[in-house]
Amino acid sequence: MRDEYDFSRAQRGAVIASPGKTRITIMIDDDVIEAFRARAEAEGRGYQTAINAALRAALDADNAPVTVATLRRELRKALKSAA
């Protein structure tokens, strides 16, 4: 290495910080990560962005997709209150 390089004040880490984001390490099942990677590639975006979007959707219960279990529960409540 050349002598003119001075690394005495160098710091390790990201070159540019991403405001509003935090770097974490999590364990995700292989099949789940592969599904996100495949979906993200088909959509032309990054798999981490797809995971972030899925987590945001899970946090926002009002925008969550209606499942069969949710529909049954709501129908039971409506039928019980109508009787």
Side-chain angles (χ1 to χ4, degrees), residues 15-57:
V15 176
I16 300 173
S18 299
K21 296 192 181 261
T22 302
R23 181 181 302 270
I24 64 166
T25 301
I26 60 172
M27 301 296 286
I28 299 175
D29 293 337
D30 291 339
D31 57 331
V32 173
I33 195 74
E34 287 304 319
F36 271 103
R37 284 182 174 152
R39 184 184 304 171
E41 186 176 332
E43 295 174 356
R45 62 182 182 164
Y47 74 95
Q48 292 176 340
T49 303
I51 292 172
N52 197 44
L55 290 170
R56 283 187 182 279

